[in-house]
Amino acid sequence: MKKLAMLSTLLLAGAALAVAPKDTLVVQEASDIPTLDPGVTYDTASGAIVENIYETLVTYKGASLRDLEPLLATKLPTVTNGGKTYTFDLRKNVKFHTGNTMTCRDAEYSFERNLVTNSAESGNWFISESLLGTQANANDDKSITWAKIDKAVECNNAGQLVFTLPQVDPAFLAKLAYTGQSIVDSKHAISIGEWKGTEADWKNWVGKDLTDSNLNKQPSGTGAYRLVRRDANATLLQAFDGYWGKKPAIKNVVIQKVPEIAARQQAFLRGDADIIEGGGRSVDTEQIKGKPGVRWIDNLPNTSATAIFMNQKIQDPKLLGSGKLDGKGIPANFFSDVNVRRAFSYAFNYAQYIQDVQQGQGKQRTMLLPDSFPGYDPKVKTYKFDRKQAEAYFKRAWGGNVWKNGFTLTANYRAGSVGAQTMMEILKRNVEALNPKFKINIQPKQWSEMLADSKSGKEAMISIGWAPDYADPDNFMYTFYASDGFYSPRSNFKDASLDKWLKQARQTVNVAQRNRLYSLVGNRAYEQAYYMLVPAPVNYTFVRDNLQGVSAANYNPLISFSYTGTFWKELSKK
Amino acid sequence: MLNFIVRRLIQVPLVMLALSLLIVGLTQLLTPEQRAAGYIRSDQQAARLEAIIEERGLRDPFIVQYGKWLGSTLQGDLGFSRASGQDVVQTIRERLPNTVELTLLTALPILLLGIWLGTLSALNKDRLIDQILRVLTIIGYSLPTFVLGIVLLAVFYGYLGWLPGAGQVSILNQFALGDLKRYTGLLSLDAVLNGRWDIAWDVLQHMILPAATLTVVSVTTFVKVMRNSMLEALTSDYVRTARAKGLAERVVNNKHARRNALLSIVTLGGFLIINLLGGSLITEFIFGYPGVGLWMVDAGLRLDIPAVLGFALLSALIVVLVSTAVDILYGVVDPRVRFD
């Protein structure tokens, strides 16, 4: 018994040390951190670290997605040449973690490196689109030359950074706030074997995947935190003593990988972890919300947009049944009749979806654009669940043949996604209740297959979402609504008015004019019912209650560290 | 004996070659899109699917893809594992010692407890102690690892706070690890060699719950097998002869019956070591223990093909080496088994 008591004391002493110290932020998450090289950072797990090690020229002002403020620049750029030249003054006496001083050459190197490599895994396609006029790299687009890359971003004699765009791009500034466009330490990068920064070896680096680059292993940025060590278990960072800005209150940050949610929950509730990756709203509400020491912050903005697609040119005969309007199938262009699309839009029970899938925490949007984004028009009308309207439109569709003969539609949903399955079940139940001759078969499908099939127009009706790369409406609006937008092969509609407005919006820097154009797009899209808009979930987060600096007021949804929506330097512990 | 060992070792590269052909071949049953999914980690990257397929040559003929893999493997490059965020070889080098450490801490209690309790059960056949042990064995055998691991974690970490939670060391020691000089790769041992007893103790504490989970789940099989083998041995002719010769009960049981009963334990022990060294997937996952098992769970979920191939080769190597060791042990335990 004595021995047991001694053992317990020893164990207790060990366990007592585990509580997260006051100067240390402890985060436990299931996801791993694929890379620390900004040149290929294109996921939130990597971005959450990279945005604290490195810094961009500009960043979002507090919680705003509309206002940008300088970070490594001293002020917002001077825009000349009809909106095609951006000139930045850079901060002086900024040190990298290696001790090197940041110069304009580092900024030039960073952007040129992104343009040269532009690998498929990276988000550099959108900066390439602005600076070179193409999303492709030099392997895929032979018109890209070293001279073009060199000219796109240069340092002038005054030490200013000058971007020269081939055409106006109102989203350009917002693109620069993306963490992938951070300024890297060029001297250090070259010294550890990265691209030399000259024409001599640029061809060897085109399309190169930088995920496992030397810079990923030995990052050096100007950010408030520097990497100390990474191993299979944890990533350790420490506040950078030479940081040019205000000294952060949190000295150490530990990101632990704990795949099992029960283990994370225990650590969080005991105070061993300040922040953990949760298990979704229903799990977190049940297991975390209201427990001692927990701070729950709800009603946070959500920046993803999801739609149910209605493909107007279905390419897979297997989904068409008889291929005719005889009750046993549908024609490939079934959704090309606006009455069909409107009928489906009225048949979806949005409120029920919010209740069943989003536990009552969802919001119906007017456009496929987050409501916190510039360009969002809350006045655009939305469809509500209305059986009578749905019935009326089905009766009008295809000259009355849809109502008379019925149809059999096959729709796939992402296998394993309870939300997508419930969404389709709600729609199926409501549509089939209108007319006994209406039949919708829903079936699960692997995500990778859906990705490929939807791209070649082989899906009839699926739900897909989009998350932003940067806070510009074009990133959503063009993606969903343009006939050459990324999602076009999945919906297969071409609307000349939408194309015209979206292109105009790309070519103007006048904010009011752009907003008007996006309102036009929103109204027309409602009118034509091109998509069923899936209600957006309301975001939430939870942290230990001694963690300061986290609130709805300063939560920015475009910060990759989505647990707080802030940079770590803004946090402290009581 | 030497011939036997050399023959076994020569088999290793052949087994690995066949295995790699099989696995790379099996991956070809997946579409290029499915294989490319392993390189995608965000919705935005999914938008670049076609470019990723092109860049990685995922539409190339099988022989080209296998040739590329074999070429780099022969140069010691097993590729980059996206599940660990580093090279496969580096990942194995970093994580295998952690798994070895857990194996060392787990295997011995399992074997000793299994042999002892199995023997005890057999020698007390149908008595109370045998009944209790049989019930406990059934309970332990029926407990899913996942359930047991979470219960132990919830009770000893969450509720009582006696033992630490997931991971390998506590937060305070995380930063100290960077200063440790690594000699063996086994963290607790290296900590001792560095004079950091506090870290060694911390590492051991973190291994108690995973080791306990593995012990409870695995020991039951050993108890059952040992009991059956022992019962068989106790009723055999040579034990009867030994008793007839007037040998003491203790000598008969230990030297004659148990020694022979151990043969099946040697076989089973081989499988145990193979399983533990190959990574105890579920246990390492629950306790966030950074061994090869945790890496493999991630790799499997993400279709991380270089990792799966690397792990398969590692497993093949472990199987061949441990099987060879088991065969040698047969000779030690049973003098009738000889290889020369």
Side-chain angles (χ1 to χ4, degrees), chain B residues 73-84:
Chain B
T73 299
L74 291 175
Q75 289 167 22
D77 175 12
L78 285 172
F80 178 69
S81 163
R82 303 187 84 80
S84 65

Side-chain angles (χ1 to χ4, degrees), chain A residues 394-564:
Chain A
F394 270 128
K395 280 179 176 162
R396 276 186 230 169
W398 289 91
N401 283 329
V402 170
W403 190 259
K404 195 173 78 189
N405 301 333
F407 63 84
T408 301
L409 165 74
T410 302
N412 297 321
Y413 65 89
R414 183 176 179 166
S417 167
V418 178
Q421 185 181 353
T422 313
M423 184 190 301
M424 286 303 180
E425 279 168 357
I426 290 173
L427 191 65
K428 172 185 166 73
R429 198 165 48 242
N430 293 348
V431 170
E432 289 182 350
L434 293 171
N435 184 335
K437 291 177 185 165
F438 291 177
K439 180 132 185 73
I440 300 181
N441 299 320
I442 55 173
Q443 52 190 28
K445 193 167 177 178
Q446 285 306 314
W447 181 229
S448 51
E449 284 175 63
M450 282 186 90
L451 281 174
D453 286 352
S454 70
K455 196 183 163 194
S456 41
K458 286 183 179 166
E459 296 292 349
M461 178 181 266
I462 49 165
S463 67
I464 319 182
W466 184 256
D469 299 313
Y470 46 89
D472 189 275
D474 182 78
N475 196 224
F476 281 89
M477 301 297 277
Y478 208 91
T479 303
F480 279 107
Y481 295 118
S483 64
D484 58 345
F486 175 67
Y487 277 146
S488 178
R490 291 133 182 104
S491 50
N492 281 302
F493 66 83
K494 183 172 171 65
D495 186 316
S497 302
L498 293 189
D499 283 347
K500 189 179 78 183
W501 294 327
L502 289 165
K503 286 211 163 64
Q504 280 176 1
R506 275 189 160 188
Q507 283 154 13
T508 176
V509 285
N510 183 316
V511 175
Q513 204 178 333
R514 286 187 90 205
N515 289 349
R516 192 185 65 83
L517 288 164
Y518 287 131
S519 292
L520 288 172
V521 173
N523 281 308
R524 169 93 181 151
Y526 165 79
E527 173 69 23
Q528 290 297 313
Y530 287 124
Y531 295 102
M532 278 179 267
L533 274 58
V534 177
V538 171
N539 266 355
Y540 68 96
T541 190
F542 55 90
V543 295
R544 292 294 302 178
D545 59 4
N546 61 339
L547 188 68
Q548 307 293 297
V550 198
S551 71
N554 67 352
Y555 185 93
N556 192 310
L558 276 194
I559 298 285
S560 294
F561 194 65
S562 56
Y563 305 112
T564 65

Side-chain angles (χ1 to χ4, degrees), chain A residues 7-8 10-12 14-15 17-18 21 24 26 32-35 40-43 46 118-122 125 135 137 207 209 211-212 216-217 228-234 236-238 252-254 256-260 262-263 266-267 270 272 414 446-449 451-452 455 465-469 486, chain B residues 31 33-34 37 39-52 55-56 80 82-87 94-95 98 146 150 153-155 157-179 201-202 205 208 284-291 294 298 302:
Chain A
L7 178 69
S8 303
L10 278 169
L11 294 175
L12 274 170
L17 288 174
T24 304
V26 181
D32 49 28
I33 301 148
T35 187
V40 68
T41 297
Y42 204 27
D43 65 286
S46 304
N118 190 7
S119 69
E121 291 88 351
S122 78
W125 61 271
Q135 295 185 358
N137 61 35
D209 179 8
T211 307
D212 188 32
N216 156 59
K217 291 168 192 148
V228 175
R229 197 168 55 79
R230 274 173 98 186
D231 61 24
N233 206 43
L236 311 176
L237 301 105
Q238 239 164 19
N252 307 310
V253 177
V254 182
Q256 282 183 296
K257 182 165 175 167
V258 180
E260 169 53 40
Q266 299 289 353
R270 284 178 51 83
D272 291 349
R414 183 176 179 166
Q446 285 306 314
W447 181 229
S448 51
E449 284 175 63
L451 281 174
K455 196 183 163 194
W466 184 256
D469 299 313
F486 175 67
Chain B
T31 63
E33 287 80 8
Q34 286 170 325
Y39 298 99
I40 293 170
R41 46 179 196 264
S42 66
D43 282 344
Q44 285 95 330
Q45 280 185 335
R48 316 276 298 156
L49 191 70
E50 201 51 45
I52 290 171
E55 264 182 33
R56 308 238 157 227
F80 178 69
R82 303 187 84 80
S84 65
Q86 50 185 191
D87 288 342
E94 190 180 310
R95 289 176 180 243
N98 296 339
F146 201 74
I150 289 177
L153 192 79
V155 172
Y157 170 57
Y159 181 67
L160 296 171
W162 288 2
L163 287 164
Q168 200 180 16
V169 285
S170 66
I171 297 300
L172 285 181
N173 283 329
Q174 290 280 4
F175 283 88
L177 291 187
D179 302 327
W201 176 232
D202 191 11
Q205 280 190 95
I208 293 175
E284 288 191 4
F285 182 84
I286 294 170
F287 294 98
Y289 188 79
L294 179 57
D298 274 353
R302 303 162 121 255

